Amino acid sequence: MKFKAWHSWFLAGTALLIYILGGIAVMLGLAMIGIMGNQDFLGWGESRGLGYLAFGLGIIFSILGVLIMRIMRNRKWA
């Protein structure tokens, strides 16, 4: 299957965006766990629990972004 040029750019941009968002979520999660502790976060619940959620999702997003980049490179789409 031959990709058009804009398909490659779209996938590369999406992979980079997912990777960056994952890194931001990891840092925010660590800050919520370490700094905010047991405080209530905007009425959503304890910030430590939300921090663990953000940390886990951030790791998953970072791994997903790297996997998309590796697949694109191995198939010579980018």
Side-chain angles (χ1 to χ4, degrees):
M1 178 175 172
K2 182 127 173 123
F3 263 37
K4 295 180 182 176
W6 68 272
H7 287 145
S8 297
W9 282 104
F10 177 73
L11 282 175
T14 303
L16 190 60
L17 182 68
I18 290 172
Y19 181 69
I20 290 172
L21 287 176
I24 291 171
V26 167
M27 291 300 131
L28 285 176
L30 287 174
M32 289 175 76
I33 293 167
I35 296 172
M36 294 183 69
N38 293 330
Q39 296 177 8
D40 186 46
F41 185 74
L42 301 174
W44 292 355
E46 190 176 292
S47 60
R48 188 173 44 177
L50 293 172
Y52 285 126
L53 177 67
F55 181 74
L57 287 176
I59 288 177
I60 290 171
F61 278 3
S62 293
I63 292 171
L64 181 65
V66 169
L67 284 176
I68 293 172
M69 287 186 249
R70 294 297 302 173
I71 289 170
M72 288 181 59
R73 182 175 178 198
N74 286 339
R75 297 198 179 167
K76 296 179 178 44
W77 289 345

